[in-house]
Amino acid sequence: MRMVSFKSVMKISKTWVCFALLLFTSSLVYSQKNLPESYDVVWDSQSVNSSESMPLGGGDIGANVWVENDELLFYFSKSGTFDENNTLMKLGRIRLAISPNPFTSGDFRQKLDLENGNILISGKSDDGAEIELWVDVFKPVIHVEIASSLSSTVEVSYESWRYRDRKVEGRANNANSYKWTGKNVVTSKDSIAFDNDKIVFFHRNQGPTIFDRTVAQQQLEPVKDQLTDPLANLTFGGYLKGENLIESGTYQDTYMDTDFKGYRLKSVAPAKNHHLAIVLHTEQTPSLKEWKNDLLSIPVKNLKSAKQITRKWWKDYWNRSFIKIERADKDSVWQTGRNYQLFRYMLGCNAYGSSPTKFNGGLFTYDPSSIDSMYAFTPDHRNWGGGTHTAQNQRLVYFPMLKSGDFDMMIPQFEFYKNALKNAELRSQYYWNHEGACFTEQLENFGLPNYAEYGSKRPEGYDPGMQYNAWLEYQWDTVLEFCLMILETESYAGKDISAYMPLIESSVTFFDEHYQYLAKERGRKALNADGNLVLYPGSSCETYKMAYNATSTVVALKVVLEKMLKSAFLDRAKNEQYLSMLDRIPALSFREIEGKKTIAPALLWERINNTEAPQLYPVYPWGIYGVGKPDLEVAINTYKLDPDVQKFKSHVGWKQYNIWAARLGLTEEAAEYTALKLKDSGRRFPAFWGPGFDWVPDHNWGGSGAIGLQEMLLQTAGDSILIFPAWPKDWDVHFKLFAPKSTVIEAKLENGRVTILSVSPTERKKDIINLFDEK
């Protein structure tokens, strides 16, 4: 058993942070403010409950902050806090009361200050009381600072619903890896105690975990000692501490649907200034003592310096990249620009996590009954699991980071697959005796198929390497989109991707090896008459099942192999191997609709199981078709004439019609669907979209919206950089985005005229094609 080292992940992250800092200094800088103050979210009344909370974060910590009944409350979360059942746990809730109460006059203001990455809350104007909450980007510490003109006392409580074991039943298991198979599932209690002037809390995983049960279920016991287990002895938690606070007892109550126990600290004496710190730590350690020692070694001093460094990080972040849509009224078009920035803010809150930002809520979920009254569960709940990654959804969270230049923030997602590589390769070796990494669509954070979706009621003798699942069977190709992301960081930023080449190579090798293996199981020959792989049975997304030469697979293999062969980090001795593999990839399939050529989802298929449109994947994400590229009409025909494409059309959740419309230069539809994606959510915080097909906040909803907006502004065709390829004439905009060859473009469109156009490096300016001028 090999444990994933948190320290090694942080070492990798720090390398990328240094790269990001170099990137900041080399990119274009304008003196004007990159985010208008109107993008800040300001509330003038208190909240009803946690559903009206405001996100706060930094580094890899997220908090939902709100004021209710004159008390400040916030949930707080941290990357990588997976329990025995692979639920992504919150770490608790803080409740703060100030005396005298600064909110009694009815004067109230709560502001998310995007430029500085903090939340400011003020009460009675005559007292001048203000609460500032901020998270240190480089140390796992949440800070709460209180300043007022009058002396005050505070009572601060740590509240936990995991003060006892909790049985998990029915739909509540949607939050863990058992899902509908959950029987006798228990969330084990945390350890919580006063420790002098601190409250210390933590959860340490005890066996057996879902990892152990999944290994047994999937008949991998003989190689268990070779498998990576990220859950064993994982410990997460921290402590709450404040200046001049002492223990003040415990209490029990219920918040919304969940009983909890509170542990209270109170002021020794009145003061005009108060400071609270919540210090957090997550790590796999052989002993609890080692984890505690590492927790207590986290520095919390030098508050002023830490705040300055954190504020600089956020200011640099906003200068790195932005999209501002200028508008007189705060209509849906203005909301599109503002909410793009709010979504990017939430992504920035998990910039350097040990685990990727989850598509189904990220670090900002809250009490679920306010989303659906049938879900009267604990605040830990989210649908579609905690440690389970739905790859088709997850990719949409990370693709927008290419054009926004947030390459350092992509590392947690890349490390997710790199850390799971050994287990994915062992699956292929053990089940089928061939090479290559088999990554399934619903993938656990330890690289094996999800326990529930593997299929618990399986026919006797069914291939143990296969999921017995109508949606997920034979769907393996989404990993290739993450391989594309990695290769694109080399293209966009000149990044050294050598650490990830084994992942990319193993991922394409699986398809070459496995489909020859399957062909030999059926008959004598491994290839067809043309010397191509026979990609059958396959799956074109989750929609076209039991497919022959699925378009999503064919185009993915073709593009990844071509980009691999161009990479400076591929061992040149392997050129012939991968050129030969590329020659074995079958051609894309086409069909006629209304007498016009269109892209088919596959050569053949047996049934339709979902509502995706993989026939447009050659447009996005794979970029075979698009503005300035050959045969654009074929792709437009597919978008407009394919009956399934039209039937499935929507802006909700992970749907990507806005992206396809932008890539095809269909300005009106791109604008319509992107504005629908990024308009205010209907919840108090404008970017808490969802639930869509998933949960709230729906980050793959926000991600697909962000990608579409970027593609409306900037695309590439060969060496050409196309600006405004699908941009409406009456949308004034100022943007700064990234393109391949370490290129940064800043442009401003005002009253139908480009008033700023700057390109770095300057020699790339010759490659700019301004399509706005051609409209």
Side-chain angles (χ1 to χ4, degrees):
M1 181 186 297
R2 179 172 65 87
M3 295 184 182
V4 179
S5 167
F6 173 78
K7 292 175 182 175
S8 66
V9 171
M10 290 308 297
K11 183 177 180 181
I12 294 169
S13 297
K14 287 175 182 176
T15 301
W16 280 71
V17 171
C18 292
F19 166 74
L21 291 173
L22 289 172
L23 188 64
F24 296 158
T25 58
S26 64
S27 60
L28 303 175
V29 178
Y30 275 80
S31 60
Q32 64 192 82
K33 186 171 178 151
N34 289 325
L35 288 183
E37 288 187 7
S38 59
Y39 281 5
D40 292 342
V41 179
V42 181
W43 297 337
D44 60 7
S45 63
Q46 298 185 29
S47 299
V48 173
N49 55 36
S50 64
S51 69
E52 297 188 349
S53 56
M54 182 180 282
L56 172 75
D60 74 336
I61 291 171
N64 293 67
V65 180
W66 74 103
V67 175
E68 179 183 346
N69 296 326
D70 296 337
E71 293 181 318
L72 169 68
L73 297 101
F74 60 90
Y75 289 121
F76 56 103
S77 305
K78 191 177 189 297
S79 171
T81 55
F82 303 108
D83 79 340
E84 294 91 337
N85 307 317
N86 233 352
T87 309
L88 179 53
M89 296 295 202
K90 291 191 176 300
L91 292 172
R93 180 174 60 232
I94 298 297
R95 183 183 298 267
L96 173 68
I98 304 171
S99 181
N101 185 350
F103 307 123
T104 53
S105 70
D107 225 6
F108 180 84
R109 190 171 191 262
Q110 179 172 337
K111 174 184 176 182
L112 173 59
D113 180 351
L114 291 172
E115 183 180 16
N116 292 310
N118 61 4
I119 288 177
L120 300 170
I121 302 171
S122 57
K124 290 193 294 186
S125 56
D126 55 339
D127 287 353
E130 183 172 74
I131 307 170
E132 179 182 2
L133 299 97
W134 58 282
V135 180
D136 193 319
V137 169
F138 299 102
K139 292 187 283 291
V141 184
I142 304 169
H143 295 277
V144 182
E145 296 182 75
I146 306 161
S148 64
S149 56
L150 300 177
S151 292
S152 62
T153 59
V154 300
E155 286 188 345
V156 58
S157 301
Y158 171 79
E159 296 180 345
S160 176
W161 48 97
R162 295 198 303 272
Y163 70 97
R164 63 176 178 89
D165 288 351
R166 305 190 80 93
K167 190 174 182 180
V168 187
E169 299 179 294
R171 295 184 184 186
N173 281 300
N174 287 345
N176 59 53
S177 293
Y178 290 105
K179 299 180 180 175
W180 53 86
T181 64
K183 293 180 180 178
N184 303 316
V185 178
V186 174
T187 297
S188 58
K189 67 180 181 180
D190 292 359
S191 175
I192 310 165
F194 291 104
D195 182 4
N196 296 321
D197 58 348
K198 298 190 294 290
I199 300 169
V200 179
F201 50 90
F202 63 87
H203 182 100
R204 182 169 174 84
N205 286 348
Q206 306 293 323
T209 70
I210 186 65
F211 170 83
D212 301 305
R213 293 198 167 97
T214 301
V215 169
Q217 175 204 45
Q218 297 174 18
Q219 302 177 37
L220 291 167
E221 291 279 9
V223 292
K224 185 177 182 180
D225 62 345
Q226 300 176 53
L227 294 169
T228 301
D229 178 1
L231 298 180
N233 298 323
L234 180 66
T235 309
F236 48 87
Y239 66 83
L240 164 66
K241 183 178 180 179
E243 297 169 353
N244 301 313
L245 297 180
I246 59 172
E247 178 182 338
S248 184
T250 64
Y251 57 95
Q252 290 185 239
D253 204 342
T254 297
Y255 184 78
M256 296 184 71
D257 309 291
T258 308
D259 60 285
F260 67 88
K261 187 172 182 179
Y263 299 74
R264 184 186 291 122
L265 300 173
K266 68 176 183 180
S267 297
V268 174
K272 290 184 177 181
N273 298 298
H274 304 271
H275 173 246
L276 310 172
I278 300 100
V279 183
L280 304 175
H281 184 52
T282 304
E283 189 177 5
Q284 280 183 292
T285 56
S287 70
L288 179 59
K289 181 180 179 180
E290 185 176 337
W291 178 85
K292 284 185 174 179
N293 288 340
D294 289 344
L295 168 67
L296 295 175
S297 69
I298 295 170
V300 292
K301 296 181 179 179
N302 302 317
L303 184 64
K304 183 177 179 180
S305 173
K307 183 188 286 189
Q308 288 175 341
I309 292 168
T310 288
R311 286 188 171 186
K312 183 180 185 303
W313 187 92
W314 281 109
K315 288 177 182 178
D316 288 342
Y317 184 61
W318 299 123
N319 183 62
R320 185 196 305 188
S321 169
F322 55 84
I323 299 174
K324 297 188 296 186
I325 298 178
E326 313 290 350
R327 207 74 171 175
D329 299 319
K330 294 183 179 180
D331 59 6
S332 62
V333 177
W334 178 86
Q335 291 170 17
T336 298
R338 191 271 306 271
N339 293 340
Y340 170 88
Q341 302 287 29
L342 293 183
F343 177 68
R344 186 164 174 255
Y345 165 75
M346 290 191 286
L347 294 181
C349 293
N350 190 26
Y352 307 129
S354 60
S355 293
T357 298
K358 283 297 304 291
F359 70 93
N360 53 345
L363 297 174
F364 300 113
T365 57
Y366 48 82
D367 295 84
S369 64
S370 58
I371 297 166
D372 187 328
S373 60
M374 297 181 67
Y375 288 80
F377 308 138
T378 77
D380 290 322
H381 186 82
R382 68 180 72 214
N383 279 355
W384 296 106
T388 309
H389 283 232
T390 305
Q392 280 282 325
N393 302 37
Q394 200 63 29
R395 69 199 175 97
L396 294 170
V397 179
Y398 279 87
F399 263 128
M401 296 182 191
L402 287 168
K403 279 194 168 68
S404 63
D406 298 322
F407 312 116
D408 54 326
M409 288 167 44
M410 300 178 81
I411 287 298
Q413 184 63 71
F414 298 167
E415 288 292 299
F416 173 88
Y417 276 98
K418 180 169 168 278
N419 291 336
L421 176 61
K422 182 180 179 182
N423 292 6
E425 289 179 331
L426 272 170
R427 294 187 79 245
S428 297
Q429 293 163 10
Y430 184 71
Y431 294 135
W432 306 303
N433 197 31
H434 67 65
E435 299 303 306
C438 179
F439 288 106
T440 56
E441 172 65 15
Q442 288 284 66
L443 187 70
E444 295 294 342
N445 48 13
F446 42 82
L448 304 182
N450 169 253
Y451 181 90
E453 287 154 323
Y454 177 77
S456 57
K457 297 179 181 178
R458 302 166 65 86
E460 187 175 348
Y462 194 78
D463 184 345
M466 284 295 303
Q467 291 169 284
Y468 190 62
N469 184 293
W471 281 262
L472 300 173
E473 58 190 2
Y474 298 101
Q475 189 179 1
W476 300 307
D477 57 27
T478 315
V479 66
L480 298 173
E481 297 195 43
F482 296 97
C483 294
L484 173 65
M485 286 184 213
I486 294 168
L487 289 161
E488 291 287 61
T489 62
E490 178 187 0
S491 174
Y492 273 70
K495 268 305 299 172
D496 181 345
I497 61 168
S498 55
Y500 300 106
M501 287 306 292
L503 165 66
I504 299 170
E505 293 179 37
S506 191
S507 295
V508 294
T509 296
F510 168 77
F511 288 89
D512 192 56
E513 292 270 343
H514 195 66
Y515 278 102
Q516 292 191 59
Y517 162 82
L518 289 176
K520 290 177 182 177
E521 289 286 294
R522 292 192 302 269
R524 179 67 182 84
K525 297 289 186 179
L527 304 172
N528 71 6
D530 297 320
N532 296 142
L533 294 171
V534 178
L535 300 175
Y536 176 83
S539 186
S540 212
C541 294
E542 290 184 24
T543 300
Y544 297 90
K545 303 304 296 184
M546 303 303 287
Y548 189 114
N549 290 355
T551 290
S552 60
T553 308
V554 169
V555 68
L557 287 168
K558 176 179 171 59
V559 171
V560 169
L561 282 163
E562 288 174 346
K563 287 185 178 292
M564 275 177 62
L565 286 160
K566 293 177 182 177
S567 173
F569 300 98
L570 178 67
D571 181 351
R572 290 301 118 194
K574 298 179 179 179
N575 266 30
E576 288 304 315
Q577 174 187 345
Y578 291 114
L579 280 168
S580 176
M581 195 181 293
L582 181 61
D583 285 341
R584 289 193 287 274
I585 305 304
L588 284 174
S589 300
F590 300 91
R591 57 178 172 170
E592 278 199 6
I593 300 175
E594 297 182 16
K596 295 185 178 181
K597 184 179 180 181
T598 68
I599 309 162
L603 183 62
L604 297 167
W605 59 93
E606 290 184 6
R607 69 180 192 276
I608 293 176
N609 225 73
N610 206 336
T611 61
E612 298 149 319
Q615 50 268 63
L616 287 168
Y617 275 44
V619 177
Y620 185 86
W622 297 108
I624 299 291
Y625 299 95
V627 178
K629 297 176 180 178
D631 299 321
L632 176 61
E633 185 180 356
V634 174
I636 292 176
N637 291 342
T638 309
Y639 183 90
K640 291 184 174 181
L641 301 177
D642 188 300
D644 290 339
V645 171
Q646 290 299 310
K647 182 170 64 176
F648 300 156
K649 186 182 284 189
S650 169
H651 71 279
V652 171
W654 40 254
K655 298 280 187 172
Q656 46 195 48
Y657 284 82
N658 63 318
I659 306 172
W660 291 324
R663 280 265 173 117
L664 297 173
L666 303 175
T667 300
E668 187 175 331
E669 286 212 19
E672 176 188 358
Y673 279 87
T674 298
L676 284 170
K677 281 272 190 188
L678 294 176
K679 72 177 183 179
D680 285 356
S681 64
R683 304 178 188 279
R684 191 170 200 190
F685 190 73
F688 277 1
W689 297 287
F693 306 105
D694 300 305
W695 201 238
V696 177
D698 185 343
H699 281 353
N700 57 178
W701 184 319
S704 53
I707 296 165
L709 190 65
Q710 293 171 345
E711 295 292 330
M712 289 170 65
L713 288 165
L714 176 67
Q715 296 178 32
T716 55
D719 288 336
S720 297
I721 302 169
L722 315 178
I723 60 172
F724 306 115
W727 195 256
K729 287 187 175 182
D730 60 341
W731 288 20
D732 287 357
V733 66
H734 183 192
F735 75 85
K736 182 178 178 182
L737 295 170
F738 286 64
K741 297 186 178 181
S742 302
T743 305
V744 187
I745 299 99
E746 183 165 357
K748 189 171 187 179
L749 181 68
E750 295 179 282
N751 300 318
R753 191 168 61 90
V754 177
T755 59
I756 292 176
L757 178 57
S758 297
V759 184
S760 175
T762 54
E763 58 265 27
R764 285 281 273 158
K765 196 162 187 176
K766 67 179 177 9
D767 298 321
I768 294 285
I769 299 175
N770 181 1
L771 293 179
F772 185 84
D773 289 345
E774 298 179 12
K775 293 180 183 177

